């Protein structure tokens, strides 16, 4: 089966420039990785995922630095590899936005959920879990992603130890010391999960910057346009979401209706979605979840209005569904998202 996943040209360009700054010969890196420099001229273009893997591994070789991906995550901010969509008020909100827009940077397959990053609560512990499938095929993506997340969080939290531990599924590399230097917390290799253990008390107090609403709106509109372009060219799930979103408030969303608009039978639509690891009901439910959080937190809508817009005529039914999605009722979720009073 052909791997149709892609990576933003901005991400490939950021790594290319980083590798060159660390000693890689530009011409050799471009030639050996098979990079088309004309594609990189527009940062909104896409390059094949396999090309990005080759770029990173050739870069490691040319720089004589097997920890290059880790250093890339440490040094290069998210804003350099994807559209910097802001507006998050807390970690939950940041994850919701991150899950929506993460594939604009790098498309990955996920296991058990459409969202790449999920909050998982165990007694006394809270984890941010990366659900990327087959992570050990390309552990460099785990390295760069986790280093970027930890270093970005450290810039927000200062010296407060928000991240308490790092778990990765790949084996311990020869450059283990670089993990210790960058993460500054216990790192477990060969774990059953790729995850960050976070301090829930500190997470609840973490203050996010308040960017210009105008700038945030412009960037988000651009990101949404890129998502539509990506979805229309690729996944059945994306095409289904694009058709559901405008009519979600009507409450009359059925698989037969969406299949008809796609020119497919109901059974064919179900097969296409199952091949991508989801059912129609999961697509509908997870879209409602994402939009509900967006309406309540980013748009500051009332619970009643948010409920109507995601297809619930009964606020009580919406409240039950929201608790199933997030673990708390809508008003409690909003209250938890508010900055602490001084």
């Amino acid at each position: 089966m052909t791997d149709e996943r892609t990576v933003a040209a901005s991400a490939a360009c950021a790594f290319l420039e980083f590798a060159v700054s660390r000693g890689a010969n530009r011409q050799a890196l471009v030639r050996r990785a098979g990079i088309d420099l004309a594609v990189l001229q527009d940062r909104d273009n896409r390059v094949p995922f396999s090309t990005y893997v080759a770029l990173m591994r050739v870069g490691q070789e040319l720089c004589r630095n097997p920890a290059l991906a880790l250093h890339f995550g440490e040094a290069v901010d998210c804003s350099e590899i994807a559209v910097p969509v802001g507006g998050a008020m807390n970690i939950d909100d940041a994850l919701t936005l991150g899950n929506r827009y993460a594939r604009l940077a790098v498309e990955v397959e996920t296991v058990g959920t459409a969202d790449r990053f999920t909050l998982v609560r165990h007694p006394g512990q809270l984890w941010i879990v990366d659900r990327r499938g087959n992570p050990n095929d390309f552990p460099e993506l785990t390295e760069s992603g986790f280093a970027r997340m930890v270093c970005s969080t450290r810039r927000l939290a200062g010296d407060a130890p928000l991240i308490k531990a790092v778990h990765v599924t790949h084996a311990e590399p020869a450059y283990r010391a670089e993990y210790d230097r960058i993460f500054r917390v216990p790192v477990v290799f060969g774990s059953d999960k790729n995850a960050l253990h976070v301090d829930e008390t500190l997470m609840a107090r973490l203050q996010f910057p308040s960017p210009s609403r105008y700038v945030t709106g412009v960037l988000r509109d651009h990101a949404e346009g890129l998502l539509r372009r990506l979805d229309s060219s690729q996944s059945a799930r994306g095409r289904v979401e694009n058709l559901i979103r405008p009519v979600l408030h009507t409450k009359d969303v059925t698989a037969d209706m969406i299949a008809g608009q796609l020119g497919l039978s109901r059974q064919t639509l179900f097969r296409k979605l199952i091949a991508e690891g989801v059912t129609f009901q999961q697509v509908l439910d997870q879209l409602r979840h994402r939009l509900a959080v967006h309406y309540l937190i980013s748009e500051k809508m009332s619970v009643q209005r948010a409920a109507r817009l995601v297809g619930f005529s009964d606020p009580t039914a919406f409240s039950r569904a929201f608790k199933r999605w997030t673990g708390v009722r809508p008003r409690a979720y909003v209250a938890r998202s508010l900055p602490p009073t001084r």
Side-chain angles (χ1 to χ4, degrees):
M1 181 181 295
T2 302
D3 187 348
E4 297 180 348
R5 292 174 296 165
T6 60
V7 176
S10 57
C13 192
F15 183 81
L16 172 64
E17 296 303 326
F18 179 75
V20 170
S21 74
R22 294 300 178 97
N25 178 275
R26 184 185 300 272
Q27 287 73 26
L29 180 55
V30 168
R31 175 178 51 81
R32 291 182 53 189
I35 289 286
D36 183 350
L37 288 179
V39 172
L40 298 189
Q41 289 179 358
D42 183 347
R43 300 298 180 90
D44 290 339
N45 282 336
R46 312 292 300 179
V47 300
F49 184 88
S50 57
T51 300
Y52 187 65
V53 174
L55 178 66
M56 194 166 279
R57 290 182 171 166
V58 173
Q60 291 170 339
E61 182 182 340
L62 293 178
C63 293
R64 296 192 176 98
N65 179 8
L68 191 64
L70 202 61
H71 296 156
F72 176 54
E74 176 190 22
V76 179
D77 189 72
C78 293
S79 62
E80 297 297 320
I81 65 172
V83 178
V85 178
M89 298 178 64
N90 54 39
I91 290 288
D92 281 334
D93 198 20
L95 283 178
T96 298
L97 290 171
N99 280 321
R100 176 155 185 80
Y101 298 115
R103 59 199 178 97
L104 289 181
V106 181
E107 288 186 286
V108 301
E109 296 175 348
T110 55
V111 176
T113 174
D115 290 338
R116 179 173 174 185
F117 297 103
T118 58
L119 281 176
V120 177
R121 287 181 170 85
H122 293 294
Q125 293 185 341
L126 180 65
W127 295 83
I128 299 175
V129 180
D130 184 352
R131 301 291 190 181
R132 180 165 67 98
N134 302 314
N136 292 355
D137 291 347
F138 186 36
E140 292 92 339
L141 193 58
T142 302
E143 291 182 325
S144 61
F146 275 10
R148 187 167 292 113
M149 291 171 71
V150 169
C151 292
S152 297
T153 302
R154 192 176 293 140
R155 285 190 283 271
L156 283 174
D159 293 330
L162 181 65
I163 306 299
K164 302 176 71 173
V166 175
H167 279 224
V168 294
T169 55
H170 55 267
E172 179 177 324
Y175 48 90
R176 163 65 188 266
E178 287 301 282
Y179 275 81
D180 296 332
R181 181 186 66 79
I182 291 170
F183 292 118
R184 306 179 198 170
V185 294
V187 179
V188 175
F189 295 92
S191 174
D192 62 348
K193 58 185 176 293
N194 287 302
L196 304 175
H197 180 198
V198 299
D199 187 308
E200 189 163 9
T201 301
L202 291 176
M203 185 185 77
R205 297 203 301 261
L206 186 64
Q207 299 243 3
F208 281 67
S210 300
S212 161
R213 293 184 66 180
Y214 173 76
V215 172
T216 298
V218 170
L219 292 172
R220 193 164 297 179
D221 286 345
H222 182 58
E224 287 294 329
L226 293 176
L227 276 182
R228 288 192 293 271
R229 192 168 83 181
L230 184 60
D231 288 340
S232 65
S233 66
Q234 296 184 348
S235 72
R237 180 199 180 102
R239 286 179 286 160
V240 167
E241 286 190 349
N242 281 341
L243 291 172
I244 290 176
R245 190 176 288 110
V247 298
L248 193 57
H249 67 283
T250 69
K251 302 177 289 295
D252 187 25
V253 180
T254 67
D256 287 333
M257 177 184 75
I258 299 301
Q261 292 185 32
L262 290 170
L264 304 172
S265 70
R266 176 191 177 99
Q267 290 74 22
T268 299
L269 174 60
F270 282 3
R271 283 198 299 271
K272 286 180 176 293
L273 290 173
I274 288 172
E276 295 177 6
V278 292
T279 66
F280 180 82
Q281 189 57 47
Q282 285 174 328
V283 173
L284 178 60
D285 198 50
Q286 291 167 8
L287 179 61
R288 280 176 165 152
H289 173 197
R290 292 202 309 270
L291 290 176
V293 170
H294 171 71
Y295 291 146
L296 290 170
I297 303 301
S298 299
E299 301 295 334
K300 303 188 187 326
M301 292 182 183
S302 68
V303 172
Q304 290 77 11
R305 187 179 180 199
R308 287 195 302 271
L309 288 178
V310 298
F312 287 85
S313 57
D314 179 6
T316 302
F318 171 69
S319 183
R320 287 198 299 269
F322 197 90
K323 185 174 182 180
R324 173 167 54 83
W325 295 330
T326 67
V328 296
R329 302 285 184 180
R331 287 187 175 84
Y333 189 90
V334 172
R336 192 172 67 186
S337 301
L338 295 174
T341 57
R342 296 187 182 276

